[in-house]
Amino acid sequence: MVKICCIGAGYVGGPTMAVIALKCPEIEVAVVDISVPRINAWNSDQLPIYEPGLDDVVKQCRGKNLFFSTDVEKHVMEADIVFVSVNTPTKTQGLGAGKAADLTYWESAARMIADVSKSDKIVVEKSTVPVKTAEAIEKILTHNSKGINFQILSNPEFLAEGTAIQDLFNPDRVLIGGRETPEGTKAIQALRDVYAHWVPVDRIICSNLWSAELSKLAANAFLAQRISSVNAISALCEATGADVTEVSHAVGKDTRIGPKFLNASVGFGGSCFQKDILNLVYICECNGLTEVSNYWKQVIKINDYQKSRFVNRVVSSMFNTVSGKKIAILGFAFKKDTGDTRETPAIDVCKGLLGDKARLSIYDPQVNEDQIQRDLSMKKFDWDHPLHLQPMSPTSVKQVSVVWDAYEATKDAHGICILTEWDEFRSLDYQRIYDNMRKPAFVFDGRNIVDGEKLRQIGFIVYAIGKPLDSWLKDMPAVV
Ligand code: NAI
């Protein structure tokens, strides 16, 4: 029986391995982590991450050929294939701080693999890593190998949170990079055989190691760039009276461009886009490609601009101050159908409003108070470390309350900011909400999900990203 072990039971390791276990009943899959609470949660009815369809998959195979464990060394030792899906945060100190990837967790995983291995292994990079990481890992492994043969493969993950199970069942492509040697080719073939259980072979792409590593960074940079492009256009729409939804519809009809990822919003978030672009920027700089690095940096700058101009819009429309005013925040996760708040635009928007002394009442169907308080108190990039290594019990932000209901959040509020596109926010009883708010009552739709006309008829003053401005907003010019 082939044995697989995955180091890192996070958003990638957990769902990916659960699907491999489901699709390959004759393979034994162990997912290991140094975080005891995380592994306990994977072994309970309350999985540590919210992902539609995940519960079902885990229930079907857990205890049969899918195991979650903290006994990292035992499972690594027994495995034929070891996936590494640990955190790869942005460095906060030293060379490349603020841009380069911190490979501390990766390196310690690699050293541990070398230490405990007694048989040949294929080591698979699942984490997103800078180009040429495999080379460094290969060196660590071979210098400590005691005669054992390690083959390194790069198999970056392209799943999107919120649709992870669907993406894993039916991926656009699976990418496997390896050494162009007979042993490398054999290792690629072995991993290909795993995916071929359910992925059509023409969607399994094989390449050299560096191409695979760079393709993942490039894919995320392209995706983020589309969002920043449409967001840049949204600012121009507001200035001119064009409607960004109409513009992106017309643009997306061009088959060379396509309709996906063209929604204007308050900005992109998630653990990957910013981190991976910063990584790309750093690699370009290291290679003397200043113009190229500046080009990609701009994608992040537009994202930051989009968040700050949203805050400016809120403050300027409410008579240039939100001091002491209650603002309801609907949605805190970085997108719908996930509880993940890493790099969510809600953090910067909330911090911006708190900077102007607003009182915030936050509701998100999947994010709890502890997480929100941590996010609003944590320093940049501190979030991307194993849970037990993150700063403990930061002091909570006093002007923030977290509630479990949109009606509670909006009661007596002066304004509402919609920051995540949860479906339930489309169908709230906005008349009831309006009746319970202070007047004038404002809605700032950061995701363009509500029917602005309906809300205006109720009496709201409505701002929606990239849409023609209400006369109220025109009369209260913002610095945007
Ligand atoms: P995560 O933070 O959810 O999971 C990483 C896990 O690794 C944590 O549970 C941590 O405790 C564990 N860990 C760290 N060092 C360890 C060690 N030495 N031994 C055992 N366990 C260890 O991170 P996530 O989101 O799963 O991301 C992992 C990698 O996958 C990152 O490089 C990320 O860029 C990449 N990725 C993430 C995607 C996403 O949507 N979240 C999509 C595609 C790639």
Side-chain angles (χ1 to χ4, degrees):
M1 189 184 219
V2 174
K3 286 192 175 181
I4 288 180
C5 172
C6 175
I7 307 177
Y11 285 86
V12 169
T16 315
M17 292 303 124
V19 168
I20 289 182
L22 183 76
K23 299 291 186 182
C24 313
E26 81 285 7
I27 296 180
E28 189 181 298
V29 182
V31 191
V32 297
D33 204 294
I34 43 176
S35 163
V36 177
R38 229 181 194 175
I39 290 297
N40 287 347
W42 279 111
N43 282 320
S44 75
D45 284 340
Q46 195 65 47
L47 301 185
I49 61 176
Y50 172 70
E51 192 63 62
L54 177 64
D55 264 24
D56 231 32
V57 176
V58 170
K59 272 187 194 135
Q60 284 184 62
C61 359
R62 194 172 55 192
K64 290 185 191 142
N65 65 331
L66 175 66
F67 303 91
F68 295 94
S69 167
T70 48
D71 197 345
V72 181
E73 298 189 354
K74 168 180 175 278
H75 288 285
V76 168
M77 189 176 74
E78 290 175 355
D80 306 291
I81 304 177
V82 180
F83 285 81
V84 184
S85 182
V86 300
N87 320 62
T88 49
T90 303
K91 273 181 93 168
T92 48
Q93 289 176 344
L95 192 66
K99 283 177 283 204
D102 176 350
L103 293 177
T104 311
Y105 304 112
W106 229 117
E107 187 177 332
S108 87
R111 287 184 187 279
M112 184 270 299
I113 297 171
D115 281 350
V116 305
S117 292
K118 295 200 170 74
S119 56
D120 293 353
K121 296 198 190 314
I122 298 172
V123 177
V124 185
E125 282 180 351
K126 201 55 162 161
S127 304
T128 306
V129 290
V131 182
K132 301 251 169 180
T133 300
E135 196 163 77
I137 300 304
E138 204 170 51
K139 282 190 183 128
I140 293 173
L141 290 171
T142 46
H143 278 88
N144 297 281
S145 73
K146 298 165 279 183
I148 289 161
N149 185 275
F150 292 106
Q151 279 303 314
I152 319 289
L153 298 178
S154 165
N155 172 222
E157 185 49 59
F158 293 101
L159 66 79
E161 285 174 33
T163 52
I165 298 300
Q166 221 173 294
D167 296 343
L168 287 163
F169 279 175
N170 192 19
D172 287 340
R173 78 306 208 183
V174 166
L175 178 57
I176 305 174
R179 284 279 182 207
E180 291 148 299
T181 58
E183 297 80 17
T185 311
K186 216 172 130 202
I188 292 176
Q189 190 57 48
L191 187 56
R192 204 179 139 120
D193 289 347
V194 172
Y195 285 108
H197 279 77
W198 77 98
V199 180
V201 282
D202 60 345
R203 289 204 212 157
I204 306 179
I205 307 170
C206 300
S207 72
N208 77 31
L209 274 172
W210 326 133
S211 302
E213 290 179 341
L214 183 57
S215 299
K216 174 63 191 176
L217 293 182
N220 272 355
F222 275 53
L223 288 169
Q225 179 212 44
R226 278 174 78 95
I227 298 176
S228 279
S229 296
V230 73
N231 281 344
I233 295 296
S234 76
L236 186 58
C237 286
E238 287 167 33
T240 58
D243 180 328
V244 74
T245 311
E246 293 176 357
V247 174
S248 65
H249 179 68
V251 170
K253 279 287 177 195
D254 186 327
T255 49
R256 293 168 301 177
I257 298 172
K260 293 184 184 168
F261 254 65
L262 280 183
N263 285 333
S265 70
V266 62
F268 60 73
S271 63
C272 297
F273 282 177
Q274 172 164 300
K275 164 173 82 76
D276 294 350
I277 293 174
L278 287 171
N279 220 319
L280 193 62
V281 162
Y282 184 67
I283 295 168
C284 292
E285 283 173 5
C286 290
N287 283 283
L289 302 171
T290 312
E291 295 303 321
V292 185
S293 82
N294 286 343
Y295 174 75
W296 289 110
K297 243 186 244 171
Q298 202 55 34
V299 173
I300 295 178
K301 283 192 184 163
I302 287 287
N303 198 46
D304 289 338
Y305 165 69
Q306 190 74 349
K307 291 180 272 189
S308 68
R309 78 184 192 86
F310 185 85
V311 172
N312 291 350
R313 227 9 133 190
V314 175
V315 177
S316 66
S317 14
M318 299 173 85
F319 314 102
N320 241 352
T321 178
V322 287
S323 178
K325 292 178 184 163
K326 176 173 171 179
I327 310 277
I329 304 291
L330 298 189
F332 198 82
F334 84 94
K335 61 155 132 169
K336 74 170 182 178
D337 292 338
T338 178
D340 193 355
T341 60
R342 297 176 294 181
E343 292 291 343
T344 174
I347 294 176
D348 284 344
V349 170
C350 289
K351 283 186 172 170
L353 295 171
L354 290 168
D356 215 88
K357 299 209 170 65
R359 289 184 297 123
L360 304 182
S361 184
I362 306 177
Y363 165 65
D364 186 290
Q366 285 296 333
V367 187
N368 64 30
E369 175 162 13
D370 178 57
Q371 187 62 51
I372 290 173
Q373 287 289 2
R374 273 165 169 279
D375 288 335
L376 293 178
S377 329
M378 233 186 282
K379 282 204 272 206
K380 206 167 167 58
F381 302 130
D382 268 358
W383 50 268
D384 198 6
H385 293 269
L387 209 56
H388 64 287
L389 299 179
Q390 287 175 15
M392 286 294 286
S393 59
T395 47
S396 60
V397 184
K398 282 201 288 296
Q399 311 95 294
V400 172
S401 64
V402 177
V403 296
W404 278 104
D405 174 45
Y407 298 102
E408 186 61 33
T410 52
K411 196 162 170 270
D412 292 324
H414 292 256
I416 301 172
C417 296
I418 300 174
L419 301 184
T420 312
E421 72 279 23
W422 285 104
D423 290 336
E424 66 176 74
F425 298 155
R426 294 174 192 271
S427 53
L428 292 170
D429 181 348
Y430 281 98
Q431 181 67 58
R432 177 179 158 199
I433 287 176
Y434 179 80
D435 292 342
N436 287 324
M437 282 177 68
R438 302 292 189 88
K439 309 294 171 337
F442 298 84
V443 170
F444 303 94
D445 184 0
R447 297 286 180 169
N448 289 354
I449 57 163
V450 292
D451 182 339
E453 267 329 296
K454 252 194 198 155
L455 262 56
R456 284 185 191 100
Q457 276 162 23
I458 293 173
F460 283 105
I461 295 160
V462 182
Y463 164 74
I465 304 261
K467 300 278 189 178
L469 298 176
D470 281 14
S471 53
W472 179 286
L473 297 163
K474 277 192 200 145
D475 294 342
M476 299 272 185
V479 186
V480 287

